[in-house]
Amino acid sequence: MNDRLLSFLGLCRRAKKLVIGADVTRQSVEEGRSHLVLYADDASKNSLKRVFAACEERGVPVKCAGRSKEALSAALGRLCAVLSVEDRGFADKLCEMIDDCE
């Protein structure tokens, strides 16, 4: 895996600072634990609708990871279309990495 973003997401997962899945991501946002929400560029708009609404209500930034569900899933070891980052430092670094790619 040469992709820096995917490698960093793997590090976040090993540090237990990622929540993977639409429902648990929404719960993380609503409980105030989330600092950033990332989603795959081919994620279902239907499953993201409630997550986006919770993020807007709580002021949590949302970014497209610019990677497919397949790429995110391979990097994280489980099916993944949307995830929550529950650490401020990891969230800031991921935002920086995504902004550099755009």
Side-chain angles (χ1 to χ4, degrees), residues 47-58:
S47 63
L48 294 176
K49 191 178 347 179
R50 292 172 70 194
V51 174
F52 286 175
C55 289
E56 186 174 329
E57 182 179 307
R58 293 286 187 153

Side-chain angles (χ1 to χ4, degrees), residues 42-85:
D42 57 349
S44 162
K45 300 301 177 205
N46 232 7
S47 63
L48 294 176
K49 191 178 347 179
R50 292 172 70 194
V51 174
F52 286 175
C55 289
E56 186 174 329
E57 182 179 307
R58 293 286 187 153
V60 175
V62 178
K63 293 207 177 259
C64 179
R67 310 297 187 277
S68 67
K69 287 188 288 193
E70 184 179 330
L72 289 175
S73 299
L76 299 174
R78 64 178 283 206
L79 186 62
C80 175
V82 61
L83 56 92
S84 169
V85 181

Side-chain angles (χ1 to χ4, degrees), residues 14-102:
R14 289 187 300 278
K16 299 185 182 345
K17 297 299 181 184
L18 283 186
V19 174
I20 300 171
D23 290 335
V24 290
T25 293
R26 185 175 45 81
Q27 184 178 6
S28 173
V29 169
E30 289 172 352
E31 292 175 359
R33 295 189 322 259
S34 181
H35 295 284
L36 173 67
V37 170
L38 293 177
Y39 63 95
D41 54 7
D42 57 349
S44 162
K45 300 301 177 205
N46 232 7
S47 63
L48 294 176
K49 191 178 347 179
R50 292 172 70 194
V51 174
F52 286 175
C55 289
E56 186 174 329
E57 182 179 307
R58 293 286 187 153
V60 175
V62 178
K63 293 207 177 259
C64 179
R67 310 297 187 277
S68 67
K69 287 188 288 193
E70 184 179 330
L72 289 175
S73 299
L76 299 174
R78 64 178 283 206
L79 186 62
C80 175
V82 61
L83 56 92
S84 169
V85 181
E86 294 187 336
D87 179 85
R88 170 69 62 202
F90 284 147
D92 291 345
K93 181 63 177 174
L94 284 164
C95 283
E96 181 183 306
M97 292 170 85
I98 290 169
D99 290 342
D100 285 346
C101 294
E102 293 177 345

